[in-house]
Short mmCIF file of all heavy atoms in Angstrom, two decimals:
data_model
loop_
_atom_site.label_atom_id
_atom_site.label_comp_id
_atom_site.label_asym_id
_atom_site.label_seq_id
_atom_site.Cartn_x
_atom_site.Cartn_y
_atom_site.Cartn_z
N GLY A 121 103.60 106.54 127.28
CA GLY A 121 103.85 107.38 126.08
C GLY A 121 104.58 108.65 126.32
O GLY A 121 104.98 109.37 125.44
N GLY A 122 104.65 108.88 127.62
CA GLY A 122 105.56 110.10 128.04
C GLY A 122 104.96 111.47 127.65
O GLY A 122 103.74 111.58 127.25
N GLU A 123 105.70 112.51 127.77
CA GLU A 123 105.31 113.85 127.63
C GLU A 123 104.81 113.96 126.17
O GLU A 123 103.86 114.71 125.82
CB GLU A 123 106.32 114.86 127.91
CG GLU A 123 106.00 116.46 127.72
CD GLU A 123 107.14 117.24 128.03
OE1 GLU A 123 108.33 116.87 128.34
OE2 GLU A 123 106.84 118.51 127.95
N VAL A 124 105.67 113.37 125.30
CA VAL A 124 105.35 113.44 123.90
C VAL A 124 103.98 112.90 123.44
O VAL A 124 103.09 113.51 122.81
CB VAL A 124 106.33 112.72 122.96
CG1 VAL A 124 105.98 112.63 121.53
CG2 VAL A 124 107.73 113.38 123.07
N GLY A 125 103.59 111.72 124.13
CA GLY A 125 102.26 111.13 123.84
C GLY A 125 101.23 111.95 124.58
O GLY A 125 100.04 112.09 124.08
N ALA A 126 101.51 112.55 125.62
CA ALA A 126 100.50 113.37 126.35
C ALA A 126 100.24 114.52 125.49
O ALA A 126 98.98 114.99 125.44
CB ALA A 126 100.89 113.71 127.78
N LYS A 127 101.20 115.15 125.02
CA LYS A 127 100.96 116.41 124.15
C LYS A 127 100.22 116.06 122.82
O LYS A 127 99.32 116.83 122.38
CB LYS A 127 102.22 117.06 123.90
CG LYS A 127 102.85 117.80 125.03
CD LYS A 127 104.22 118.49 124.58
CE LYS A 127 104.68 119.40 125.79
NZ LYS A 127 106.06 120.01 125.39
N ALA A 128 100.49 114.84 122.26
CA ALA A 128 99.90 114.56 120.87
C ALA A 128 98.57 113.82 121.23
O ALA A 128 97.79 113.66 120.24
CB ALA A 128 100.85 113.53 120.28
N GLY A 129 98.14 113.42 122.35
CA GLY A 129 96.89 112.84 122.61
C GLY A 129 96.95 111.40 122.17
O GLY A 129 95.97 110.90 121.75
N SER A 130 98.23 110.76 122.18
CA SER A 130 98.41 109.60 121.60
C SER A 130 98.81 108.57 122.71
O SER A 130 99.38 107.55 122.37
CB SER A 130 99.49 109.51 120.50
OG SER A 130 100.67 109.96 120.99
N LEU A 131 98.51 108.68 123.81
CA LEU A 131 98.88 107.94 125.00
C LEU A 131 98.31 106.43 124.84
O LEU A 131 97.18 106.29 124.37
CB LEU A 131 98.47 108.46 126.37
CG LEU A 131 99.16 109.76 126.80
CD1 LEU A 131 98.39 110.39 127.95
CD2 LEU A 131 100.56 109.50 127.15
N THR A 132 99.08 105.46 125.44
CA THR A 132 98.53 104.10 125.68
C THR A 132 97.94 104.15 127.01
O THR A 132 98.53 104.62 128.05
CB THR A 132 99.72 103.04 125.52
OG1 THR A 132 100.16 102.99 124.24
CG2 THR A 132 99.08 101.75 125.97
N ILE A 133 96.66 103.76 127.18
CA ILE A 133 95.80 103.80 128.46
C ILE A 133 95.40 102.33 128.81
O ILE A 133 94.74 101.71 127.99
CB ILE A 133 94.74 104.64 128.41
CG1 ILE A 133 95.24 106.11 127.87
CG2 ILE A 133 94.08 104.82 129.81
CD1 ILE A 133 94.01 107.14 127.77
N MET A 134 95.88 101.82 129.94
CA MET A 134 95.69 100.54 130.42
C MET A 134 94.62 100.66 131.60
O MET A 134 95.01 101.13 132.62
CB MET A 134 96.96 99.99 130.89
CG MET A 134 98.09 99.69 129.79
SD MET A 134 99.67 99.79 130.25
CE MET A 134 100.14 101.48 130.38
N VAL A 135 93.47 100.08 131.39
CA VAL A 135 92.32 100.40 132.22
C VAL A 135 92.00 99.24 133.07
O VAL A 135 91.77 98.04 132.55
CB VAL A 135 91.08 100.81 131.50
CG1 VAL A 135 90.04 101.36 132.31
CG2 VAL A 135 91.65 102.03 130.44
N GLY A 136 91.65 99.43 134.36
CA GLY A 136 91.09 98.57 135.33
C GLY A 136 89.77 98.99 135.83
O GLY A 136 89.73 100.07 136.41
N ALA A 137 88.72 98.37 135.36
CA ALA A 137 87.37 99.01 135.55
C ALA A 137 86.30 97.96 135.34
O ALA A 137 86.52 96.91 134.48
CB ALA A 137 87.14 100.18 134.73
N SER A 138 85.11 98.09 135.87
CA SER A 138 83.97 97.33 135.44
C SER A 138 83.65 97.81 133.94
O SER A 138 84.08 98.83 133.45
CB SER A 138 82.79 97.71 136.33
OG SER A 138 82.23 98.92 136.04
N GLU A 139 82.91 96.96 133.26
CA GLU A 139 82.61 97.28 131.85
C GLU A 139 81.77 98.61 131.71
O GLU A 139 82.02 99.46 130.96
CB GLU A 139 81.89 96.17 131.23
CG GLU A 139 82.72 94.84 130.93
CD GLU A 139 81.97 93.86 130.20
OE1 GLU A 139 80.82 94.08 129.66
OE2 GLU A 139 82.57 92.78 129.91
N THR A 140 80.76 98.76 132.73
CA THR A 140 80.09 99.99 132.76
C THR A 140 80.86 101.23 132.94
O THR A 140 80.70 102.25 132.20
CB THR A 140 78.94 99.87 133.83
OG1 THR A 140 78.11 98.82 133.68
CG2 THR A 140 78.04 101.16 133.81
N ASP A 141 81.75 101.19 134.06
CA ASP A 141 82.62 102.37 134.22
C ASP A 141 83.55 102.53 133.03
O ASP A 141 83.86 103.79 132.84
CB ASP A 141 83.31 102.09 135.56
CG ASP A 141 82.53 102.16 136.71
OD1 ASP A 141 81.35 102.67 136.77
OD2 ASP A 141 82.87 101.59 137.76
#
Side-chain angles (χ1 to χ4, degrees):
E123 183 181 6
V124 173
K127 288 181 175 179
S130 61
L131 292 169
T132 291
I133 305 177
M134 297 154 271
V135 187
S138 70
E139 291 186 6
T140 299
D141 290 337

